[in-house]
Amino acid sequence: ASPFGSTNGNNPDLERLEHLVLMSRLLLSFFQRQMEKISERVNKAKNPQELGLPHDDFELPFNDSFAVSGGKRASLSIGPIKKAERALKKAKEYEEEMKKGEKEKIPSPSDYVIDFLRCTIEVEDPYLVAVIYSVLLKEEIATC
């Protein structure tokens, strides 16, 4: 991969993306730990209320007959950081959408690329998708 500022200003979009990749590398361990906290808490909780979710919204208990690998409710996989070259292709697509008026014009189409840090939390029970989504929105277990 190119070092930050590798184009000497000739490709500011690529240089911006290289900067975002660098920031992602710095934040990767924090991101991973936050997602691990959520997965661990979902796996250990007896019910959604132990995750801070209101009973009125989450009345059902967990159905542990729906388990992923290792008998867990949720299994976490951290993906690789998106590379600047791949992100540049996405930025170019966003630039075209900006030109067509499909996306709001911002100083750099590179700033529309936001999925440098990625993970998958695998579950078998659709109820858990709603639980995990709500836990993420609350920002109490993981504060990212």
Side-chain angles (χ1 to χ4, degrees):
S2 305
F4 176 69
S6 64
T7 71
N8 296 319
N10 293 323
N11 190 339
D13 288 334
L14 180 59
E15 291 182 8
R16 173 71 177 139
L17 292 165
E18 289 171 340
H19 173 77
L20 294 171
V21 168
L22 177 64
M23 296 300 296
S24 297
R25 286 184 186 143
L26 294 172
L27 292 169
L28 178 60
S29 62
F30 175 76
F31 172 75
Q32 183 170 348
R33 183 65 198 130
Q34 296 302 296
M35 296 303 101
E36 286 170 351
K37 282 182 181 180
I38 290 174
S39 297
E40 289 167 7
R41 290 281 302 273
V42 166
N43 284 324
K44 290 178 182 175
K46 291 182 176 82
N47 55 54
Q49 289 67 52
E50 285 191 8
L51 299 169
L53 302 177
H55 185 269
D56 289 346
D57 294 338
F58 293 92
E59 297 176 14
L60 299 175
F62 291 132
N63 183 347
D64 287 334
S65 64
F66 291 114
V68 292
S69 62
K72 296 179 179 178
R73 288 186 198 117
S75 176
L76 174 68
S77 299
I78 301 291
I81 295 173
K82 182 174 276 189
K83 297 195 180 309
E85 294 78 16
R86 174 66 189 124
L88 183 60
K89 290 178 185 174
K90 290 300 296 179
K92 294 298 179 193
E93 291 173 20
Y94 293 136
E95 184 175 40
E96 288 302 314
E97 291 176 21
M98 288 168 55
K99 287 178 184 175
K100 294 177 187 175
E102 296 170 359
K103 282 205 172 289
E104 181 181 338
K105 289 189 178 188
I106 58 175
S108 173
S110 300
D111 291 329
Y112 272 118
V113 183
I114 59 172
D115 63 337
F116 289 91
L117 295 175
R118 302 171 283 179
C119 75
T120 300
I121 300 177
E122 180 185 359
V123 297
E124 291 292 328
D125 185 354
Y127 184 59
L128 283 172
V129 174
V131 166
I132 292 169
Y133 179 74
S134 297
V135 167
L136 284 167
L137 289 178
K138 285 182 66 63
E139 296 184 31
E140 290 177 3
I141 295 172
T143 56
C144 48

